[in-house]
Amino acid sequence: MRTLLSTLLASAAGLALSPAPADVPLRGFFPQSIQAERDLEARFKAMPDPARMREAMRRLSARPHHVGSPYDRTNAEWILNEFKSYGWDAHIENFDVLFPTPIERVVELVAPTTFKASLQETMLSLDPTSNQQSEQLPSYNAYSADGDVTGPLVFVNYGVPADYEELEQRGISVKGAIVIAKYGGSWRGIKPKVAAEHGAVGCLIYSDPRDDGYAGGDVFPAGPMRPAQGVQRGSVADMPTYPGDPLTPGIGATKNAKRLTVAEAPTITKIPVLPISYGDAQPLLAALGGSVVPAAWRGGLPITYRFGPGPAKVHLRVKSEWSLKTLYDVIAKLPGTTEADQWIIRGNHHDAWVNGAEDPISGLVAELEEARGLGALYKQGWRPKRTIIYAAWDGEEPGLLGSTEWAEAHADELKAHAVAYLNSDTNGRGYLGVSGSHSLEKFINGVAVDVEDPESGVSSWKRVQANRIINGSADARRDARDRDDLRISALGSGSDYSTFIDHLGVASLNLGYGGEDDGGIYHSIYDDFYWFTHFSDTSFVYGRALAQAAGIAVLRLANADLLPFAFTNLAETIKTYVKELQSLRERRSEEIAERNRQIDDGVFKFTSDPRDPVAGPKRQRPAPQLNFAPLLNALDSLDRAASRYDRAYARAVSEGRSGVARSVNARLVQAERALTSTEGLKGRPWYVHMLYAPGFYTGYGVKTIPGVREAIEQGQWEDADREIARAGAAVEREATLISGLATTLGGT
């Protein structure tokens, strides 16, 4: 599993750009500490070794290592021994989680002709690990309901709510049908969820070659793209409700934990679902009748794409073995000194769907080199102020299992002690992508300035700036040239940061390089050492760059005299979110008014093609005005408090007033927590952050100020006003905390 990095395509070579904020005093360090920190970082940056990363990847991806497999445990034990050899205090923490694995899988066309899908990825002689069939998980979707169903087939494009609106207008029902959806447009678990809500009895998901195959380049093994029999495995649990073990929401899945039954677990799909290749999908789609789909729905297969239903009828059978499997989270620690009760946490997962060289081993080998470098510094006598915790999570792929269960089990400690969580997942060639808490935006910009991009020879910061100027929107170009800091995007869900930021309110960052390696081997048997060393970061220099970036971030957070949070960027970014919400309300109001007028004027009836009729939509309630005042007033408070804090912070640092640091640091730990609510979001209380969450119908894609945004999108206007007030209360809490910190620092 991974989150999407920014679309990053261009080179920075030869461009005259505005200067990066280079060689300024390190944020969080008093003047007397800066040179020592620079010297320490210079020693650290020389340590990550691409050759070691290559060999670690070869070792860790040598065999399939999904949750519950023998090699998953073997890898965890090897990683544990590596941490210990680096000088870390390390152990394995176990959790027992529900992880179904397939027993039976059948997809067959039973009318008007017959065809049985192979449901098997092709072994390749030049790819030595692709033939490990006895150890590979078959292609399937974890947490699919068991079922044996037969029904007419209906093509639903990407299977998101807007696609069902198109079907409804055309008089096409999926009730009692099996739907077939393309991967893309949303997280995969949304597709069976929405299908079941519309009455479907089964769901197939395939990778269309227009999105993930030969339309993007040569297919593997001639090139990096998904071949005809390649299949994307993945979880379809309803993680926008909650991630982690489906049977233990909100608590760690220890041996004695109180568990739901499988039937009670709300995140397991209501209908059976299977992923298939585009090779297996083509005969099914070709058998569909009915109207031709709109241009935007058409894929890259050499067929005429039609809606159905009929004459194609499909039989789908899914049966899994539903048992608990043991997770192996590897947890390593370097103890702090003067502020040991504050924790800096760094993580990357180690489990994969199959061999997983790119996902997740490309990120994990960088993390291991960071740990080796920090351990070497520790052996040489360096001691961090704060405790550093490194984690290699298990069970991320099925649903963020290892990180969620660990964080839920240690929730009280983390709320008291966790300063920040830094995550990575996959890594490749290209540009440094960063998402996360905007209170850490200024800090991570400073890190990016100090890490060289291995292809261009300029800083990672400069290369990202160049890309945004060349490829960004007008607003992105203006920001890249004129703003002090490059913007980072918000976090929703999709990797191991989710529990930390969404559920516990721990300030978080997700880092990784990418953008230059097009690839179609995600969650397939071809995500292996052969593919990675032929088509991705073949020299592992971007692995070294990630180790340098994340390692320096850990060093600065662990060593800082004053924790390097800054809140002016946070205040400015929330303003942009509120403007987006106001614009969204206006746009929805105009859309509803125009659509209602079209209905009244009869334009749908007059324009409908009698040979391909399209019914008009239903009238909607006009959009009322919303009361944004609670959120706008809170933003004014936050803006004033953030400016006060920035001035007080600069003065305290320049004057070297270290006496205030300890008191301020202890309260800064709670800054992100102030943005959470004990109630959580409507209908999914596990998500408590008022600014960030995954979308209810988009999955991983972040929703900013999610309660308000989703209420507006769904026309739930009373809820929207209530959520505005709740978000405003969270921002006001943040403003009050920051204002108090400014006073402690001596601000006016």
Side-chain angles (χ1 to χ4, degrees), residues 545-593:
L546 176 58
Q548 291 171 336
I552 288 172
V554 168
L555 279 171
R556 291 184 185 178
L557 287 165
N559 293 339
D561 301 317
L562 267 173
L563 286 171
F565 292 92
F567 302 99
T568 51
N569 287 10
L570 172 66
E572 186 235 357
T573 300
I574 298 176
K575 284 182 185 178
T576 68
Y577 296 160
V578 176
K579 288 179 181 176
E580 289 171 3
L581 292 175
Q582 292 172 315
S583 296
L584 176 62
R585 186 264 161 208
E586 295 305 310
R587 188 166 65 252
R588 292 288 296 127
S589 178
E590 292 170 2
E591 290 170 351
I592 292 169

Side-chain angles (χ1 to χ4, degrees), residues 235-277:
S235 172
V236 289
D238 188 8
M239 284 190 282
T241 298
Y242 61 83
D245 176 32
L247 306 185
T248 58
I251 61 173
T254 56
K255 287 192 178 298
N256 298 320
K258 184 178 180 180
R259 287 175 165 80
L260 303 175
T261 65
V262 172
E264 293 171 328
T267 58
I268 295 171
T269 69
K270 304 300 186 287
I271 59 176
V273 54
L274 271 180
I276 61 176
S277 66

